[in-house]
Amino acid sequence: GDGNNAVAWFLYTGQPAEEIPRDITHARIDPSVKKIGRGAFGGCEQLEMVELCEGVERIEAQAFYGCKSLKCIKVPSTVNEIGPLAFYGCEQLVEVELCDGLEHIGPGAFNGCKSLKRMKIPSTVRDISGYAFFNCDQLVVVELSEGLKVIGERAFSACKSLTRTKVPSTVREVGEWAFFNCKQLVEVELCDGIEKIGQGAFELCVSLTGIKVPSSVKMIGEYTFCNCEQFMEVGLCEGLEEIGERAF
């Protein structure tokens, strides 16, 4: 429409970060681009829209770091890796669509995305690294799929609006402090297959009323369910070999 004429679209063809003006508002990624380079749009605080085409394979570290005006992003199915801190501090990012094909969500990738409300993790994702969704304090729903192997350290820590989660059977270990301080978490389903629940993983989940620990779990770390004030019932199984101090 006519409104679009006034918009200046920046075309990204793989330029180094220093050649990209920091005051751009709209960016289109050229179909020839295989990776969005390290820090490419980092600190572009007025960037509102980014169009990605099928064909991009990697979004590198800090690619959209601190893009405070970015509201939504669709990551194409060709992307297999979102690098460390890629969308760190994108505080107006409300909607992120991830597609089947993605395998790795890097450390701190969506750390501090304070407006993000829902997150569906595709079944192809193998690991959610440490601090990936740390401090996403409006995140209400996270859907984790079978196929996921790793939930890293503090991956969902301080997600204060998260109400329920189901940890799939393919996850072997819930990382240390993974859901620490998720104050509104009322329901956690742990599936048979999990072997270790890391230190402090559910500490300070003050709304959690109980937990059923599957028989596959061999180890519960220190402080895992510490300060869960509403805890009424705990179901433990005979497979358990080690319970850390002050676990409950």
Side-chain angles (χ1 to χ4, degrees):
D2 295 332
N4 242 1
N5 295 345
V7 172
W9 285 84
F10 176 84
L11 184 66
Y12 177 76
T13 54
Q15 302 92 320
E18 55 272 17
E19 289 177 24
I20 299 172
R22 295 299 107 178
D23 61 354
I24 57 172
T25 59
H26 291 66
R28 193 172 273 135
I29 310 302
D30 192 84
S32 66
V33 169
K34 289 281 174 266
K35 63 174 190 187
I36 299 176
R38 186 185 181 90
F41 297 95
C44 289
E45 295 189 357
Q46 295 163 57
L47 186 62
E48 290 168 32
M49 277 187 78
V50 175
E51 282 185 12
L52 294 161
C53 298
E54 294 284 322
V56 178
E57 290 165 12
R58 281 211 326 275
I59 298 175
E60 300 215 321
Q62 297 173 322
F64 295 98
Y65 182 100
C67 291
K68 291 181 177 164
S69 304
L70 193 60
K71 292 184 178 59
C72 58
I73 191 107
K74 181 178 188 217
V75 177
S77 64
T78 46
V79 171
N80 57 39
E81 186 178 344
I82 296 176
L85 306 173
F87 294 94
Y88 175 93
C90 292
E91 46 193 54
Q92 287 196 57
L93 198 56
V94 177
E95 201 181 322
V96 173
E97 189 182 336
L98 304 178
C99 296
D100 272 344
L102 184 66
E103 292 174 17
H104 308 289
I105 298 176
F110 295 95
N111 182 342
C113 291
K114 292 183 175 298
S115 302
L116 204 54
K117 292 186 170 55
R118 310 177 62 85
M119 201 73 218
K120 187 175 190 309
I121 307 292
S123 61
T124 48
V125 171
R126 295 294 165 257
D127 52 288
I128 297 174
S129 300
Y131 291 84
F133 295 94
F134 181 74
N135 228 343
C136 291
D137 56 18
Q138 286 194 54
L139 195 58
V140 179
V141 179
V142 172
E143 290 178 44
L144 303 175
S145 301
E146 290 288 322
L148 184 66
K149 290 186 165 58
V150 177
I151 298 176
E153 168 194 13
R154 291 191 194 269
F156 295 98
S157 176
C159 290
K160 296 187 172 73
S161 304
L162 193 62
T163 53
R164 46 181 48 85
T165 191
K166 179 181 179 180
V167 179
S169 66
T170 46
V171 172
R172 291 292 161 260
E173 183 177 340
V174 179
E176 297 188 350
W177 320 104
F179 294 92
F180 172 78
N181 199 16
C182 290
K183 291 188 186 309
Q184 295 199 51
L185 197 58
V186 287
E187 193 184 317
V188 172
E189 187 183 338
L190 301 175
C191 293
D192 210 22
I194 299 166
E195 292 171 8
K196 182 182 175 187
I197 305 172
Q199 175 174 341
F202 296 96
E203 186 180 351
L204 269 174
C205 291
V206 292
S207 303
L208 205 54
T209 53
I211 197 84
K212 186 173 181 301
V213 178
S215 57
S216 54
V217 172
K218 296 181 174 62
M219 188 204 161
I220 295 176
E222 296 178 13
Y223 307 106
T224 300
F225 297 99
C226 189
N227 292 321
C228 294
E229 297 161 5
Q230 304 287 329
F231 243 42
M232 311 286 261
E233 53 182 319
V234 179
L236 297 176
C237 292
E238 62 285 346
L240 208 54
E241 292 164 15
E242 187 185 333
I243 299 180
E245 64 174 288
R246 294 192 60 199
F248 294 96

